[in-house]
């Protein structure tokens, strides 16, 4: 096979609406509610058919300590049932979900007591009703025991992971009594598919204990919780969009959904990205203030808003890649140390959050009527002090973020400050922010940062109790990124020789080394071998499979006589893999849309060499040319004038 080239390089603000569930007896359809409107009292409903959904990575869930967060970022072939709503509905939705309620009840009757003291009173009421029903029904106890046995057999050590797998499955279920997935098992996220066999047992338990009647009985309390969260959430979304100059439209195929389920622990936030659907499951607590952590909802909403803007600038990411060298010693997940778009996105979001941060306490209120000038002077003094306190707090927040490894936060904060002064929105300014970045300057800045030892978990990334140790192939990937292809090949060869090594990933690294060294024929064989080894693996890595297909497609496109049909087939195979990172989707879709073209290096002509001969990279000569002539020297004393 012959290749042409021997190397390959890897506005306006619309009115905000939140959809509240309708209260029809047969189904729960989203109802649009303006943020100026007050939610109406809810009546009971017999069942839900709600609408709910990175992005960027394979799916796992996790938690750690108070404020635990579990995440699942899989890319299932099928869309969650909860994400399927009628066009014209709101893209931002706050709802409850009966299949999720059934799953949460099953966990509670099987010993799930986490966060019980912090939960809303409705959880204790429902648990008391369940205990009474179990006492009165032997059939219910028998089916309960079958459910509990299954949960015990599939229990995971981490509580967030344990609950997260059942939350994932619930999002795909039809309303009771069917409780059936809307997709084949092979099309479900791995987390959901791993516990799908609980469904027959869950259906029997729900029937024996008459769980649907319990749901109807407590539906008004669920609706009251939604009404309590609705206005603060609507205001948060509105404030965020006003700052970003981001319009909020009706449903256009993307969803941001918040699900409330008080039967789960309040300290855990389950976050899900399924394709273009962003789902947040939260459990209200019994505190007097906001019942949910609105800052976490806003963080995930910013991912929903910002990620499409960043990942649509894929051509700029290669030049930003060197910044990753500056975070290799930071306490970040390996994902962020190896994925420039993900690191950039998180830093941009941190910068936005710093701008939106407001110190606790009441803000100064401008007097409605001014009797004396001193009244206005007092207000202006208070406002100046309040603004200064916010500025200092925001700068401190940036320092904390950068010490944790988010080294571009200050850069984006300054760029956002300029954006605010100009009056443009993020959609207009994000391209200059990314393309205009001085990468070497920011890399030098990152290398001066003194990192802390640990970081809080990110809502949309798995957070394990202990940081994952880098594998040999992780280190090989870092070496490739740094240009040390020989050292990376040595690690990959050792993994290939190890009977327990990750052979598919090692072969993938070796194929990329061949590519970097200008051997496309050998690279093509290596990527093909990667796919063969992945098929033979018990747990193939979706990202390795996807990018092996993408590289094969690019190789077919780059032959001296391109094989376009084969290339398109490879790009489609990459999309069919279960890697949900936006860069994978963008690369595959770009390959389907048009043949991949190798980056062309401009050839310098002799005239270019002449032009550059006297070029001064420091700019000192140019700067000196703008300086005024020095004043004439004074003649010696006693010298007669001319």
């Amino acid at each position: 096979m012959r290749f042409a080239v021997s190397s390959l390089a890897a506005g306006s603000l619309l009115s905000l609406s939140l959809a509240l569930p309708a209260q029809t007896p047969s189904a729960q359809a989203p109802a649009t509610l303006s943020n100026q409107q007050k939610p109406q009292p809810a009546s009971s409903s017999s069942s839900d058919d709600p609408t709910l959904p990175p992005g960027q990575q394979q799916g796992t869930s996790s938690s750690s300590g108070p404020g635990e967060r579990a995440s699942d970022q899989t890319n299932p072939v099928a869309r969650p049932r909860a994400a399927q709503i009628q066009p014209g509905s709101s893209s931002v939705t706050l709802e409850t979900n009966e299949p999720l309620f059934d799953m949460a009840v099953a966990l509670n009757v099987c010993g799930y007591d986490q966060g019980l003291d912090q939960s809303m009173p409705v959880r204790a009421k429902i648990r008391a009703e369940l205990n009474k029903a179990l006492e009165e029904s032997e059939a219910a106890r028998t089916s309960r025991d079958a459910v509990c046995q299954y949960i015990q057999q599939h229990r995971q050590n981490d509580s967030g992971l344990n609950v997260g797998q059942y939350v994932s499955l619930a999002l795909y279920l039809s309303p009771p009594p069917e409780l059936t997935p809307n997709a084949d098992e092979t099309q479900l996220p791995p987390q959901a598919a791993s516990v799908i066999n609980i469904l027959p047992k869950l259906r029997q338990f729900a029937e024996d204990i008459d769980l649907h009647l319990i749901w109807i009985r407590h539906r008004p309390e669920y609706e009251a919780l939604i009404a309590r969260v609705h206005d603060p959430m609507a205001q948060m979304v509105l404030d965020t969009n006003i700052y970003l100059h981001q319009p909020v439209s009706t449903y256009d195929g993307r969803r941001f959904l918040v699900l409330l389920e008080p039967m789960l622990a309040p300290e855990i936030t389950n976050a899900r990205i399924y394709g273009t659907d962003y789902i947040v499951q939260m459990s209200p607590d019994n505190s007097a203030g906001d019942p949910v952590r609105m800052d976490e909802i806003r963080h995930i909403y910013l991912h929903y808003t910002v990620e499409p803007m960043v990942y649509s600038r894929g051509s700029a990411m290669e030049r930003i890649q060197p910044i990753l060298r500056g975070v290799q010693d930071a306490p970040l997940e390996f994902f962020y140390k190896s994925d420039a778009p993900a690191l950039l996105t998180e830093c941009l979001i941190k910068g936005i959050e710093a701008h939106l941060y407001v110190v606790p306490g009441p803000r100064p209120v401008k007097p409605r009527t001014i009797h004396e000038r001193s009244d206005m002077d007092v207000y202006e003094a208070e406002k100046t002090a309040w603004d200064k306190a916010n500025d200092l707090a925001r700068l401190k927040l940036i320092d904390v973020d950068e010490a944790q490894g988010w080294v571009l936060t200050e850069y984006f904060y300054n760029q956002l400050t300029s954006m605010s002064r100009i009056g443009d929105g993020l959609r207009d300014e994000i391209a200059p922010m990314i393309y205009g970045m001085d990468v070497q300057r920011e890399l030098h800045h990152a290398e001066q940062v003194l990192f802390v030892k640990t970081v809080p978990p990110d809502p949309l990334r798995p957070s394990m109790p202990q940081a994952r140790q880098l594998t040999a192939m992780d280190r090989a990937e870092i070496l490739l990124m740094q240009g040390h292809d020989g050292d990376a090949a040595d690690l990959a060869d050792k993994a290939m020789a190890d009977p327990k090594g990750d052979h598919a990933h090692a072969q993938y690294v070796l194929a990329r080394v061949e590519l970097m060294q200008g051997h496309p024929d050998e690279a093509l064989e290596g990527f093909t071998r990667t796919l063969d080894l992945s098929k033979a693996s018990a747990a193939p890595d979706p990202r390795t499979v996807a990018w092996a297909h993408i590289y094969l497609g690019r190789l077919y496109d780059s032959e001296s006589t391109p094989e376009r049909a084969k290339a398109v087939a490879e790009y489609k195979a990459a999309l069919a893999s279960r890697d949900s990172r936006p860069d994978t989707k963008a690369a595959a879709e770009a390959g389907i849309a048009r043949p991949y073209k190798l980056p062309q290096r401009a050839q310098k002509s002799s005239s270019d060499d002449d032009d550059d001969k006297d070029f001064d990279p420091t700019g000192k000569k140019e700067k000196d040319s703008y300086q005024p002539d020095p004043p004439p020297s004074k003649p010696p004393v006693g010298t007669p004038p001319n």
Side-chain angles (χ1 to χ4, degrees):
M1 184 178 297
R2 298 185 61 83
F3 291 82
V5 183
S6 61
S7 66
L8 208 70
S12 61
L13 179 69
L14 304 182
S15 62
L16 167 70
S17 64
L18 289 180
L20 284 180
Q23 295 108 37
T24 59
S26 58
Q28 177 186 350
T32 301
L33 179 67
S34 168
N35 67 302
Q36 283 84 17
Q37 293 174 305
K38 297 296 182 183
Q40 299 301 315
S43 60
S44 62
S45 166
S46 64
S47 68
D48 285 348
D49 189 4
T51 45
L52 122 203
Q56 301 160 309
Q57 32 290 26
Q58 279 122 267
T60 53
S61 281
S62 164
S63 59
S64 62
E68 294 177 273
R69 286 159 283 195
S71 71
D72 183 14
Q73 291 183 296
T74 60
N75 187 27
V77 177
R79 192 176 195 184
R81 180 184 182 90
Q84 300 171 359
I85 66 172
Q86 295 297 320
S89 299
S90 176
S91 59
V92 180
T93 317
L94 175 66
E95 296 176 10
T96 58
N97 179 280
E98 188 176 358
L100 180 58
F101 167 79
D102 287 5
M103 201 69 77
V105 163
L107 291 168
N108 275 263
V109 298
C110 295
Y112 176 71
D113 299 331
Q114 184 177 358
L116 193 57
D117 293 341
Q118 293 80 39
S119 295
M120 296 295 290
V122 66
R123 184 180 181 188
K125 291 181 183 178
I126 293 174
R127 285 167 63 102
E129 287 187 31
L130 292 168
N131 289 335
K132 182 178 180 182
L134 287 168
E135 289 177 2
E136 297 173 351
S137 172
E138 183 178 353
R141 292 194 298 273
T142 301
S143 56
R144 184 271 318 268
D145 293 344
V147 169
C148 295
Q149 183 181 9
Y150 184 92
I151 291 175
Q152 179 61 37
Q153 291 171 346
H154 293 78
R155 186 178 302 278
Q156 300 194 35
N157 293 331
D158 182 87
S159 60
L161 290 169
N162 189 52
V163 174
Q165 58 189 346
Y166 297 105
V167 171
S168 291
L169 179 58
L171 302 182
Y172 280 84
L173 299 182
S174 61
E178 290 83 7
L179 289 176
T180 55
N182 70 311
D184 185 79
E185 181 177 351
T186 59
Q187 297 178 308
L188 294 174
Q191 264 199 322
S194 66
V195 291
I196 193 172
N197 290 329
I198 195 177
L199 293 180
K201 300 174 176 60
L202 180 62
R203 283 191 288 268
Q204 186 62 52
F205 171 70
E207 180 182 346
D208 291 342
I209 205 168
D210 206 356
L211 193 54
H212 181 60
L213 182 61
I214 297 175
W215 163 257
I216 292 175
R217 189 178 299 133
H218 292 278
R219 183 62 184 274
E221 293 165 273
Y222 273 62
E223 298 296 346
L225 290 176
I226 285 185
R228 183 179 170 192
V229 174
H230 175 267
D231 282 0
M233 179 174 159
Q235 191 62 50
M236 178 275 294
V237 173
L238 182 62
D239 291 343
T240 303
N241 287 323
I242 288 175
Y243 175 74
L244 299 177
H245 290 229
Q246 176 74 13
V248 179
S249 63
T250 55
Y251 179 64
D252 60 356
R254 301 181 68 239
R255 291 296 314 284
F256 180 80
L257 178 91
V258 177
L259 281 176
L260 298 184
E261 181 43 70
M263 294 300 291
L264 299 177
E267 62 264 34
I268 293 182
T269 298
N270 279 283
R272 300 282 183 278
I273 297 179
Y274 292 137
T276 58
D277 301 316
Y278 288 62
I279 309 171
V280 186
Q281 179 275 312
M282 278 192 162
S283 302
D285 61 33
N286 56 14
S287 62
D290 285 341
V292 296
R293 291 177 294 280
M294 201 60 67
D295 56 335
E296 291 189 4
I297 297 179
R298 184 180 64 187
H299 184 88
I300 301 167
Y301 179 73
L302 284 170
H303 274 274
Y304 166 79
T305 302
V306 169
E307 282 183 352
M309 302 183 199
V310 172
Y311 283 94
S312 64
R313 271 85 185 174
S315 59
M317 295 308 160
E318 186 173 350
R319 62 179 293 273
I320 295 175
Q321 201 77 4
I323 201 69
L324 295 177
R325 297 201 300 268
V327 297
Q328 295 306 309
D329 295 329
L332 300 177
E333 288 276 348
F334 174 72
F335 168 70
Y336 291 110
K337 297 181 181 183
S338 59
D339 191 306
L343 178 68
L344 185 149
T345 300
E346 195 66 30
C347 291
L348 175 55
I349 289 173
K350 296 285 186 183
I352 295 171
E353 289 175 328
H355 267 282
L356 295 175
Y357 179 79
V358 176
V359 293
R363 65 180 64 198
V365 179
K366 186 175 182 178
R368 294 184 178 181
T369 57
I370 301 175
H371 301 288
E372 299 179 2
R373 175 62 188 172
S374 59
D375 295 341
M376 197 63 185
D377 291 340
V378 170
Y379 164 73
E380 290 177 350
E382 292 177 349
K383 181 68 165 54
T384 299
W386 188 76
D387 289 340
K388 184 176 181 180
N390 278 316
D391 290 340
L392 292 174
R394 290 163 184 167
L395 293 176
K396 184 177 180 180
L397 186 61
I398 293 170
D399 290 340
V400 171
D401 289 336
E402 295 216 327
Q404 293 173 355
W406 313 115
V407 294
L408 295 176
T409 303
E410 183 180 4
Y411 169 79
F412 282 117
Y413 181 84
N414 293 334
Q415 294 296 312
L416 290 163
T417 301
S418 300
M419 180 190 81
S420 300
R421 290 171 181 163
I422 297 171
D424 289 337
L426 184 61
R427 192 174 298 277
D428 299 318
E429 291 298 316
I430 192 167
M433 287 183 191
I434 295 176
Y435 291 104
M437 182 188 299
D438 186 339
V439 177
Q440 291 304 316
R441 180 184 181 280
E442 296 307 320
L443 174 59
H444 177 73
H445 169 73
E447 291 171 344
Q448 310 309 310
V449 175
L450 182 62
F451 297 120
V452 296
K453 297 298 183 183
T454 59
V455 296
D458 185 279
L460 284 175
R461 287 299 305 160
S463 173
M464 305 305 291
Q466 295 181 349
R468 180 174 73 87
Q469 298 296 316
L470 294 183
T471 66
M473 290 303 94
D474 290 337
R475 294 194 295 272
E477 292 277 4
I478 294 173
L479 289 169
L480 276 181
M481 184 174 56
Q482 296 172 340
H484 305 309
D485 50 294
D487 294 335
D490 290 341
L491 287 176
D493 285 333
K494 291 179 181 178
M496 293 296 291
D498 183 356
K500 297 182 180 180
D502 188 349
H503 294 168
H505 198 165
Q507 182 61 67
Y508 174 70
V509 169
L510 291 172
R512 289 169 61 196
V513 169
E514 295 287 1
L515 211 52
M516 294 174 67
Q517 295 178 349
H519 307 139
D521 290 309
E522 290 79 359
L524 189 142
E525 294 178 4
F527 289 124
T528 303
R529 177 68 176 149
T530 297
L531 295 176
D532 293 338
L533 291 170
S534 296
K535 290 177 182 177
S537 173
D541 175 37
R543 185 163 179 81
T544 300
V545 172
W547 276 94
H549 281 299
I550 290 172
Y551 277 119
L552 284 172
R554 291 177 173 180
L555 284 164
Y556 286 130
D557 271 340
S558 304
E559 295 176 20
S560 54
T561 304
E563 299 186 62
R564 183 60 183 155
K566 287 186 177 181
V568 171
E570 295 294 344
Y571 297 133
K572 289 181 177 179
L575 287 176
S577 71
R578 297 168 78 135
D579 177 43
S580 66
R581 297 196 195 181
D583 60 333
T584 302
K585 184 173 183 289
E589 289 179 344
I592 293 172
R594 64 189 64 86
Y596 179 78
K597 293 191 179 299
L598 293 167
Q600 299 297 317
R601 296 183 179 179
Q603 300 297 324
K604 293 180 65 175
S605 64
S606 58
S607 61
D608 293 334
D609 294 335
D610 293 338
D611 291 339
D612 293 343
K613 181 173 61 176
D614 297 326
F615 174 69
D616 177 17
T618 66
K620 185 175 185 300
K621 291 182 179 179
E622 183 180 2
K623 190 184 301 181
D624 291 343
S625 67
Y626 288 96
Q627 294 179 356
D629 295 330
S633 59
K634 295 182 179 180
V637 178
T639 303
N642 294 333

